[in-house]
Structures are given as C-alpha cells and as structure tokens.
C-alpha cells in the first residue's frame, strides 16, 4: 500500500530541505476529519527555520508539488498544513491490499532477522495463579503475537518461580504430613496449607527450621530425594497452571524458570568480581548502585546462596547466548520496577555486548482491583484465575439463556465471549494504570468491550450471509464508498499496520484494543447510515465488500490480542 505519510513528508522535504524521516515523525492525524487526513504542524520547525509557523506553512504550500492522484489538496490553517488524501486512491489501496493478503492483512516482514524474547506469566509454583499473573500472561501473549505478525522471530518464555528457600520448608512439610493432603485433587490449595503449617512449626521449633535449611541445601546439591519431591510440586503446579493457559489459549516456547538458572549464578558472581563491582557488605556480596540513585543490588546472601536477582542476571547471560536477542522484554507488574532497574544496571558489568544490555526492557503494568468485595481476598486467599475465567463463562451462559436461548454452539460461544471479555479488559486500559475489574462493565455488549467487538464482527458475518456471497474485487466501484461513514471505516482499516507498529514500539497493547473499538464503532455508524442489502447491485457489492473487510480486520486484530470470534451472537 502507498504510505501516505511518507509521501507527504517526502514532498515537504523537497521544499525545505529537512530530512524526510524527521518530518514524518511530526505528521499527525487530525481528530476532526474536516481538518484533512494528515496534518503537519509547522511550529515544530519554527525554531530551526527561524520563521513563524504561519509563514512556513504558506511557503511550503506554495512550493509543494503534489500528485493529485494521491494527495488531493493541501490547506493552511493556523500553523498547520492539512492534507487531504485522494479518497478513491485510499479506497483502492485498502481493498486491493485486503484482497491480496486476506487473513494476513497488516502483517509484514519488517522484523525478519530480529530475535525478540517476551517473558510473561511467570507464576510461582505451589502458589496461587493470581489476577496479577493473569495480566502479565495476557499482555505478554498479545505482544508475542504482534511481534510475530510483524515478522520478528519471537521467543515466549515462562520464567517460572520454582526456586527459593521456601522449598526447603515445603519438602519438610511434605515429609511429615504429605499423605494427609490430597495433592492431586487440589494441588495449589493443599500445598499452600502445607506451607502455612510447616512455617508455623518452624516459628515454634528452631530445630525444624534447621532441617528445612538442610533440605534446601540438599536441593541445591541435587539430592535425588529432595529433587524428586520438588519435581512433584512443580508437576502438580504446572498441571494446574496449564488449565488456565488452555482456557486462555496461551503457549510458551520455553518454561525455563528460576531453578534452571540456580547452577548458573556462579558465572555471574565471577564476572562481577572480575569487573571489580562486587563488594562485601555485612557478609553478603552486593553491587553498589548509589551513583545511580538506587539501593545496592544483593548478589549473594550471607549464607552464600543465590537469590532472585542473581538468577535473573544468569538468565540474561543465558538468553543473550542462546537466543542472541535484539529485545528481551519482561512483562512484570510495576511493583518490581526497582528490581528490573537494578538488574539492568548490574547487567552492564557482565561484559555483554551493548546490544544486549540495550535490549533489556521492562514492561510494567498496573494492579487489578476487584469491584466486588466477594472477589477480593477472601479469608486471605487470592482470587484464583481459573475461578474467575469459569465465572466469566458462566455469566455469559446466563446472558445467552436469557436473551438468545436458541443460539447454536452455545457452550463454545460462551467460552469465546466470556474469555474474550476478560482478555479485552486486561489489555485495553493503558497498561501502567491500575484497573478495576467489574463484571457489568466488561460484559456490557454495548460498551467498549470484547463482546462489543465480537458482536460487530458477527454483524459483518450476517451481512455476508444475507447477501449470500463475497463480491469480487473487480466488481467494486470505489466511488461508491466515498461517503463519510464508509470512508471513515476504510481510513481506519488503512491504519491497521501502523497501529501494530505502535504497539510494539511502545509495548502497549491498549493501542490495538482501542483501535478495534474505533473500527467497530465506525462500522456501526456506517451500518446505521447505509442500507447494505438493496436493489442496486453495484451499491450492494461495494457495501458487502466493505463489511467483509471490517470482519477480516476485526478478526485478525482480536486474534492478536488472544480473542477468538464467535460465529453467532
Ligand atoms: N515469579 C515472579 C512473581 O510472581 C515474577 C517473575 C518475573 N520475571 C523475572 N525475570 N524476574 O512475582
């Protein structure tokens, strides 16, 4: 497709001899379509050119040579140049591109040859998979898909929290009372109980605590019995987590968690020693970060065992060597901002190529609070994501029973809609913001929600069904789609690939979620203003084709977010 922005910046560049890439960055899309399709704010150049924005705008307008087949006209308003795209050109471009790429519309090869690690989910074994883990799982999976769609070689990693001194305790608890708990039935709940019980005993009896420490030491030394029990905890937990991943349709390329790096921390310590950055402090070894305005990063504890940060540093080394990453993205809640700032700083002392340390990116996100007291921590328990997802499905089932009891594929659709609603909610607010989880909001079919997008998608499907065909592109008269509502839809579709680029540039999934809402709303306006199935075959063809395009883009975009489309609603 023609890149109109590029075309405009090239022509402006010819008039003022400023690099077109710089100019391209300045180009905006006006909020009000009456101000054109693209706007160039000249005040950004006022300083550089030592002229008033108005004067710059006038001069550019006079000198610029525009191909009317592409850009119809340019107007000066205030310090802005407003560009109007040749409508039929844009329509032609979009329809041809969709016809050619179909379900791959918006994809590209721009990422070819680049390796992107996305680390997401990373729950702690033997602990509940809570709502914070839900968000990292969904954000990470959506980023993963989007990078992939743009041609990047993408590696999804579940950095399981499967290591730490608490496993010494859990092994002790298991030894003592393992048979009292049905771990197969309710693994996480029972493992949590086991942990609380042994922890209490440790507080009373120093000797038990000592045994726990020994267990952990044995685990580190790969004692077969301790490893076996630890493995059991891990297998049971993963079985439970996999239920969630299956419901969400989330996959990973690697589940190497913290334990995988436990025996790889020695190299980190050696490298930091070599760099002269490792200092002793009260028996522990630390890297001082006071110059960076941060507390020190602890590398080894006084008892010599490795810690969370050190295992993360070992992972950076390993990932650089194994995957030769261009970016290594950590989707982790903002509570860990400091942790990542620290390890990214310390990583600079590991002797890695700058490419790798520059490629480390933390994508933080806000907390989720539940609007109803019932869902929030009950009796100190965290909300189980599985319960939440199943509740979403049940609630949708009830809505279907109430409104459309004869719907086909009820079960399947309730799942797509319920899960889709949860996913969309997780991804549609600016990631860094805290969120309130409220059932009525996320399941509102008319709101800015997953179900709304699915609903509009289904509408495009039923338009095609009613027509009984998808028209051939050759039969479409582009001029019939130049009315305001149709054109708005097509302009939005034109922008799809651009939005995907913004998503990965800022690692911000809400751009795509908002985009899908906009497209759905634009289509809804189009639908309300225009009769689609009508006596004029030419008009019908054009409008059915437009409906087909919208359905296609909604489906692709939703899929990138992890949302499946129902066929009926
Ligand atoms: N397991 C941790 C938690 O649940 C998150 C791990 C984040 N990733 C990392 N590389 N440190 O809080």
């Amino acid at each position: 497709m023609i890149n109109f922005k590029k075309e405009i910046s090239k022509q402006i560049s010819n008039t003022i001899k400023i690099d077109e890439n710089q100019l391209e960055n300045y180009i905006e899309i006006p909020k009000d379509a009456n101000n054109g399709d693209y706007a160039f704010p000249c005040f950004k150049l006022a300083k550089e050119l030592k002229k008033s924005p108005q004067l710059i705008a006038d001069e550019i307008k006079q000198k610029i040579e525009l191909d009317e087949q592409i850009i119809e006209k340019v107007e000066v308003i205030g310090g802005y140049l407003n560009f109007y795209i040749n409508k039929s050109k844009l329509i032609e471009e979009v329809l041809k591109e969709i016809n050619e790429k179909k379900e791959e519309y918006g994809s590209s090869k721009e990422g070819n040859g680049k390796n992107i690690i996305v680390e997401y989910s990373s729950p702690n074994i033997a602990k509940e998979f809570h709502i914070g883990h839900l968000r990292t799982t969904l954000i990470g999976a959506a980023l993963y898909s989007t990078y992939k769609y743009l041609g990047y070689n993408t590696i999804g990693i579940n950095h399981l929290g499967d290591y730490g001194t608490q496993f010494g305790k859990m092994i002790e608890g298991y030894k003592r009372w393992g048979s009292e708990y049905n771990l197969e039935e309710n693994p996480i709940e029972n493992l949590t109980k086991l942990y609380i019980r042994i922890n209490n005993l440790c507080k009373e009896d120093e000797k038990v605590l000592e045994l726990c420490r020994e267990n952990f030491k044995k685990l580190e030394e790969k004692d077969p019995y301790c490893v076996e029990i630890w493995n059991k905890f891990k297998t049971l937990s993963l079985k439970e987590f996999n239920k969630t991943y299956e419901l969400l349709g989330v996959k990973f390329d690697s589940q190497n968690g913290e334990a995988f790096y436990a025996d790889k921390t020695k190299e980190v310590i050696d490298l930091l020693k070599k760099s002269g950055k490792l200092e002793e402090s009260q028996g522990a070894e630390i890297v001082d970060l006071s110059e960076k305005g941060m507390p020190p990063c602890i590398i080894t504890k006084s008892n010599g065992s490795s810690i969370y940060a050190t295992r993360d540093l070992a992972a950076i080394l390993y990932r650089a060597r194994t995957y030769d990453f261009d970016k290594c993205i950590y989707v982790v809640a903002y509570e860990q901002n400091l942790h990542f700032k620290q390890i990214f700083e310390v990583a600079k002392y590991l002797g890695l190529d700058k490419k790798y340390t520059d490629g480390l990116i933390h994508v933080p996100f806000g907390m989720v609070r539940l609007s109803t007291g019932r869902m929030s921590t009950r009796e100190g328990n965290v909300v189980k994501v599985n319960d939440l997802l199943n509740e979403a499905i049940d609630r949708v089932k009830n809505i279907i029973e109430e409104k459309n009891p004869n719907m086909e594929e009820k079960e399947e659709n309730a799942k797509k809609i319920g899960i889709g609603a949860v996913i969309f909610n997780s991804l549609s607010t600016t990631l860094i913001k805290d969120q309130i989880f409220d059932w009525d909001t996320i399941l509102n079919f008319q709101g800015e929600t997953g179900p709304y997008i699915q609903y509009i998608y289904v509408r495009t499907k039923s338009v095609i069904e009613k027509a009984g065909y998808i028209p051939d592109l050759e039969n479409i008269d582009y001029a019939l789609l130049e009315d305001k509502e149709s054109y708005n839809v097509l302009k939005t579709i034109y922008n799809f690939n651009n939005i995907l680029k913004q998503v990965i540039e800022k690692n911000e999934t809400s751009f795509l979620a908002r985009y899908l809402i906009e497209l759905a709303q634009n289509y809804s306006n189009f639908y309300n203003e225009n009769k689609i199935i009508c006596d004029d075959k030419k008009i019908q063809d054009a409008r059915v084709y437009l409906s087909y395009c919208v359905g296609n883009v909604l489906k692709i975009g939703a899929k990138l977010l992890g949302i499946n489309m129902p066929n009926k609603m």
Side-chain angles (χ1 to χ4, degrees):
M1 281 197 296
I2 292 184
N3 186 335
F4 292 108
K5 242 175 155 182
K6 268 214 157 54
E7 198 55 39
I8 292 168
S9 47
K10 195 166 93 194
Q11 297 310 332
I12 299 178
S13 166
N14 286 341
T15 68
I16 51 173
K17 311 285 169 256
I18 291 179
D19 176 55
E20 59 177 276
N21 293 319
Q22 179 191 340
L23 299 177
E24 192 185 332
N25 284 330
Y26 295 159
I27 294 179
E28 300 167 359
I29 297 182
K31 288 220 165 59
D32 180 356
N34 289 325
N35 291 329
D37 301 299
Y38 293 98
F40 184 81
C42 294
F43 53 86
K44 300 225 164 147
L45 297 175
K47 226 175 165 183
E48 204 166 327
L49 299 176
K50 300 195 181 67
K51 286 181 198 163
S52 78
Q54 177 77 38
L55 196 63
I56 298 170
D58 286 334
E59 280 181 14
I60 293 176
K61 188 183 168 181
Q62 255 170 24
K63 287 194 210 151
I64 200 161
E65 287 172 21
L66 296 174
D67 178 349
E68 274 174 35
Q69 296 304 314
I70 298 176
I71 316 264
E72 225 159 57
K73 62 170 181 178
V74 54
E75 275 173 1
V76 174
I77 297 183
Y80 280 91
L81 286 156
N82 292 339
F83 293 87
Y84 297 77
I85 304 291
N86 181 317
K87 285 191 175 141
S88 80
K89 184 71 192 168
L90 181 136
I91 296 167
E92 180 186 343
E93 288 287 306
V94 169
L95 298 194
K96 277 189 176 159
E97 182 85 359
I98 293 216
N99 184 53
E100 197 179 302
K101 291 182 88 177
K102 305 232 160 43
E103 290 86 44
E104 276 157 28
Y105 176 75
S107 67
S108 73
K109 295 192 163 61
E110 63 172 84
N112 281 10
K114 292 218 172 81
N115 303 319
I116 308 291
I117 293 177
V118 186
E119 190 208 282
Y120 52 107
S121 200
S122 313
N124 303 316
I125 68 166
K127 289 214 187 116
E128 217 55 81
F129 191 105
H130 60 72
I131 201 160
H133 291 126
L134 174 67
R135 227 175 159 210
T136 145
T137 306
L138 297 174
I139 297 165
L143 289 176
Y144 178 94
S145 304
T146 310
Y147 275 101
K148 211 178 182 111
Y149 203 59
L150 295 182
Y152 292 87
N153 176 39
T154 319
I155 304 111
I157 299 182
N158 190 1
H159 188 75
L160 287 173
D162 53 4
Y163 208 72
T165 48
Q166 77 270 25
F167 290 105
K169 287 186 182 170
M170 298 203 61
I171 291 169
E172 191 56 33
Y174 183 81
K175 271 193 208 165
R176 288 168 184 251
W177 317 298
S179 57
E180 290 175 36
Y181 297 87
N182 187 350
L183 294 180
E184 302 289 333
E185 183 76 20
N186 249 333
I188 310 268
E189 226 173 280
N190 283 319
L191 286 172
T192 310
K193 282 186 192 151
L194 198 69
Y195 181 71
I196 294 174
R197 189 166 165 192
I198 187 72
N199 216 18
N200 286 337
L201 190 61
C202 284
K203 279 181 207 149
E204 285 167 23
D205 190 343
E206 181 71 23
K207 270 191 239 118
V208 180
L209 185 63
E210 196 42 49
L211 288 173
C212 296
R213 287 201 187 110
E214 266 168 40
N215 287 336
F216 180 63
K217 208 155 170 268
K218 281 193 200 156
L219 184 65
E220 283 200 297
E221 287 158 1
K222 302 219 159 41
D223 167 79
Y225 177 74
C226 288
V227 170
E228 189 194 312
I229 300 178
W230 170 83
N231 252 326
K232 193 178 168 84
F233 297 157
K234 184 164 167 172
T235 313
L236 287 169
S237 306
L238 272 178
K239 216 169 110 193
E240 204 56 22
F241 297 159
N242 281 338
K243 287 186 197 159
T244 307
Y245 295 142
E246 220 155 273
L247 273 175
L248 298 172
V250 166
K251 293 200 171 73
F252 304 95
D253 299 305
S254 159
Q255 307 223 54
N256 283 341
E258 290 187 44
F260 180 79
Y261 299 104
D263 62 1
K264 299 178 177 58
T265 54
K266 192 177 168 301
E267 188 186 1
V268 172
I269 296 161
D270 290 345
L271 286 168
L272 290 176
K273 269 194 191 132
K274 223 168 80 187
S275 74
K277 291 289 172 187
L278 204 61
E279 296 172 20
E280 234 211 82
S281 168
Q282 297 161 12
E285 287 173 298
I286 61 156
V287 173
D288 180 78
L289 295 171
S290 55
E291 261 180 36
K292 305 281 171 190
M294 287 186 268
C297 184
I298 301 170
I299 301 295
T300 61
K301 281 198 272 197
S302 46
N303 67 6
S305 60
S306 80
I307 57 168
Y308 183 53
T310 325
R311 293 190 286 274
D312 257 327
L313 289 163
I316 292 173
L317 276 181
Y318 178 85
R319 291 173 183 177
R321 290 167 187 159
T322 311
Y323 303 109
D324 181 28
F325 63 79
D326 293 90
K327 288 186 195 175
C328 178
I329 297 169
Y330 298 80
V331 185
V332 183
Y334 67 56
E335 280 105 329
Q336 297 198 32
N337 274 357
L338 176 63
H339 166 74
F340 284 104
K341 266 193 173 158
Q342 287 180 312
I343 63 161
F344 291 174
E345 205 48 51
V346 177
K348 292 180 187 160
Y349 306 132
L350 295 177
L352 283 168
D353 194 300
K354 193 167 176 300
K355 163 187 165 179
Y356 300 119
T357 47
D358 283 351
L360 299 168
I361 300 168
H362 176 209
V363 175
F365 58 85
M367 276 180 351
V368 187
R369 269 177 298 130
L370 298 139
S371 66
T372 50
R374 200 188 71 67
M375 292 299 297
S376 58
T377 59
R378 87 185 104 111
E379 297 147 30
N381 290 333
V382 284
V383 178
K384 292 185 200 165
V385 166
N386 259 337
D387 291 350
L388 182 107
L389 295 175
N390 285 317
E391 179 162 354
I393 298 171
D394 285 342
R395 281 175 181 259
V396 173
K397 265 191 214 154
N398 290 339
I399 298 175
I400 294 176
E401 284 308 337
E402 197 182 301
K403 294 199 173 147
N404 189 2
N406 299 323
M407 182 194 270
E408 294 161 38
E409 305 168 25
K410 254 190 252 179
E411 288 285 319
E412 200 42 40
N413 281 348
K415 189 173 160 196
K416 286 176 177 169
I417 299 166
I419 303 281
V422 173
I423 296 180
F424 189 85
N425 178 63
S426 267
L427 302 178
S428 57
T429 30
T430 309
L431 297 184
I432 195 69
K433 284 196 186 148
D434 288 343
Q435 268 197 321
I436 294 185
F437 188 98
D438 173 62
W439 284 115
D440 292 336
T441 313
I442 73 167
L443 291 176
N444 180 355
F445 284 35
Q446 300 302 323
E448 298 184 352
T449 60
Y452 175 69
I453 290 167
Q454 291 170 322
Y455 175 71
I456 296 294
Y457 168 78
V458 169
R459 181 175 282 180
T460 66
K461 287 297 248 194
S462 57
V463 163
I464 294 167
E465 215 168 274
K466 243 189 226 151
Y469 63 95
I470 299 172
D472 274 339
L473 182 64
E474 297 97 78
N475 295 337
I476 309 295
D477 178 354
Y478 304 134
L480 295 174
L481 295 172
E482 287 186 18
D483 66 286
K484 185 165 160 249
E485 283 75 26
S486 311
Y487 186 62
N488 256 343
V489 170
L490 288 157
K491 243 170 67 172
T492 310
I493 293 181
Y494 172 81
N495 209 16
F496 184 52
N497 171 264
N498 198 19
I499 293 291
L500 299 182
K501 281 188 191 150
Q502 288 174 24
V503 168
I504 65 159
E505 198 183 318
K506 297 258 168 8
N507 295 306
E508 177 59 77
T509 54
S510 67
F511 293 157
L512 177 54
R514 309 300 318 157
Y515 170 87
L516 294 176
I517 291 289
E518 187 189 323
L519 179 57
Q521 284 171 346
N522 285 347
Y523 181 75
S524 177
N525 291 338
F526 157 84
Y527 185 91
N528 293 335
E529 287 301 317
N530 293 297
K531 213 165 153 30
I532 301 179
I533 307 297
C534 59
D535 295 338
D536 187 328
K537 180 81 172 30
K538 275 276 157 204
I539 292 185
Q540 175 167 315
D541 280 354
R543 293 179 181 166
V544 171
Y545 201 83
L546 180 116
S547 304
Y548 157 71
C549 292
V550 170
N552 190 32
V553 176
L554 287 178
K555 187 171 182 179
I556 296 169
K559 184 87 206 145
L560 290 174
L561 295 180
I563 299 171
N564 292 315
M565 290 300 196
N567 290 318
K568 285 267 158 34
M569 228 164 136

